[in-house]
Amino acid sequence: MADPPPSFDSPRQIVLQLTSSDPQVINNILYNAVNLQKFYGQDNVQIAIVAFGAGMEALYDKTTPVKDRITSLQQYGVEFIGCGNTMETTGHSPAELVDGVDVVTAGIAEIVERQLRGWVYIRP
Amino acid sequence: MADPPPSFDSPRQIVLQLTSSDPQVINNILYNAVNLQKFYGQDNVQIAIVAFGAGMEALYDKTTPVKDRITSLQQYGVEFIGCGNTMETTGHSPAELVDGVDVVTAGIAEIVERQLRGWVYIRP
Amino acid sequence: MADPPPSFDSPRQIVLQLTSSDPQVINNILYNAVNLQKFYGQDNVQIAIVAFGAGMEALYDKTTPVKDRITSLQQYGVEFIGCGNTMETTGHSPAELVDGVDVVTAGIAEIVERQLRGWVYIRP
């Protein structure tokens, strides 16, 4: 473990990139989030899954292959964040997203900003 | 936004990895660069696209599927950097590159060094 | 080169993610490790290749397509690290790994912790 160890007051902060519409890739990323929570303990880690490009397909309520898993992970505190640029380019609206998914202007810039605030980046 | 916010004197510095020869992947990475410039404002962000391995196919003048887009992004200040190791291994010479593309000894080491100088790494 | 330059006492520390079972991807990652050692000099860089998910297929002694290359890179000081979670989920045991491969509880968390200890992350 790096120093200081993760704790409720100083949790690990991890941003996972979701840029594929392949159901297996999407499922693996959700599985990564579960494993990170198991490893650190749910209170000791904050996880944000940021989608852009093809990864946005995972977040549309009517077509996502993983709606139940998203809802479950949200209940465990995992953030899901969608890319406004991608939605605009592909003709989607925020109303189509699974409940609780946040929207940012540019998903890729969100990953940049989180890294600059100390979040650790993983591109599964 | 992380603190300090990006500015002309303190721009965001972002290095994007290009390691695929798939035209759709290549186009998406160029699109990512455009979105980052739109989001931050062109003067407030420096973007370097570093290619190695199969990604080098994007940078050869006679065969790249995106020559015009590369030239256009270069005019907006985006750096394109190719990998000398990959070129040597695959029998290409720097003369084959699109005008203005820089060459480094090892593309992957360039990404390492930029990160150590404070650039944020994204592997789209 | 970022400052300070790499040296025996202050080597570059680089963690490479291995998450594909495609022999070409696996071979490319091993080739990346070789190129990094050539670029920095073997004594000036520490490289850890951390596998999880499908990438674990590269590390099982009886089925890996790159056993000899792994053994060779280990002799040059490259660390290979496998994911206990993936092995448990897929019904593999540590005894199946190529000699010298280390096992951690969660490969993805190992990449997080190494980044927090100053290692540079590359997802080839």
Side-chain angles (χ1 to χ4, degrees), chain B residues 12-108:
Chain B
R12 292 291 186 257
Q13 296 177 304
I14 302 165
V15 57
L16 302 179
Q17 175 178 316
L18 170 51
T19 37
S20 170
S21 58
D22 179 335
Q24 190 171 344
V25 174
I26 297 169
N27 270 292
N28 281 343
I29 292 173
L30 303 184
Y31 180 72
N32 294 152
V34 171
N35 274 337
L36 286 166
Q37 286 201 332
K38 275 191 202 161
F39 181 81
Y40 289 113
Q42 190 195 330
D43 287 346
N44 299 330
V45 62
Q46 294 175 5
I47 299 169
I49 297 177
V50 178
F52 60 97
M56 286 303 297
E57 297 302 321
L59 302 184
Y60 298 124
D61 187 84
K62 291 215 187 325
T63 51
T64 175
V66 291
K67 182 176 174 180
D68 290 350
R69 293 194 72 194
I70 290 175
T71 303
S72 168
L73 280 164
Q74 286 174 326
Q75 287 166 353
Y76 285 95
V78 175
E79 278 181 278
F80 287 83
I81 298 167
C83 175
N85 280 340
T86 302
M87 295 177 70
E88 194 178 306
T89 305
T90 56
H92 286 281
S93 82
E96 297 173 51
L97 294 166
V98 174
D99 276 355
V101 173
D102 289 321
V103 180
V104 294
T105 305
I108 192 168

Side-chain angles (χ1 to χ4, degrees), chain B residues 17 19 52 85 89 105-106 108-109 111-113 115-117 121 123, chain C residues 1-2 12 14 16 31-32 35-36 39-40 118 120-124:
Chain B
Q17 175 178 316
T19 37
F52 60 97
N85 280 340
T89 305
T105 305
I108 192 168
I111 295 178
V112 170
E113 294 301 311
Q115 288 195 63
L116 290 171
R117 294 201 305 265
Y121 167 63
R123 201 279 206 189
Chain C
M1 285 279 190
R12 292 292 186 257
I14 302 166
L16 303 177
Y31 180 71
N32 294 152
N35 273 336
L36 286 166
F39 181 80
Y40 289 114
V120 176
Y121 167 63
I122 304 270
R123 201 279 206 191

Side-chain angles (χ1 to χ4, degrees), chain C residues 52-115:
Chain C
F52 60 97
M56 285 303 296
E57 296 302 320
L59 302 185
Y60 298 125
D61 187 84
K62 291 215 185 326
T63 51
T64 175
V66 291
K67 181 176 172 179
D68 289 350
R69 293 194 70 194
I70 290 174
T71 303
S72 169
L73 281 164
Q74 286 174 327
Q75 287 166 354
Y76 285 94
V78 175
E79 277 181 279
F80 287 83
I81 297 167
C83 175
N85 280 338
T86 302
M87 294 176 69
E88 193 178 306
T89 305
T90 56
H92 286 280
S93 81
E96 297 173 50
L97 295 167
V98 174
D99 276 354
V101 173
D102 289 322
V103 180
V104 295
T105 305
I108 192 169
E110 180 72 13
I111 295 178
V112 170
E113 294 302 309
R114 296 228 178 197
Q115 288 195 64

Side-chain angles (χ1 to χ4, degrees), chain A residues 96-110:
Chain A
E96 297 173 51
L97 294 167
V98 175
D99 276 356
V101 173
D102 290 322
V103 180
V104 294
T105 305
I108 192 169
E110 180 71 14

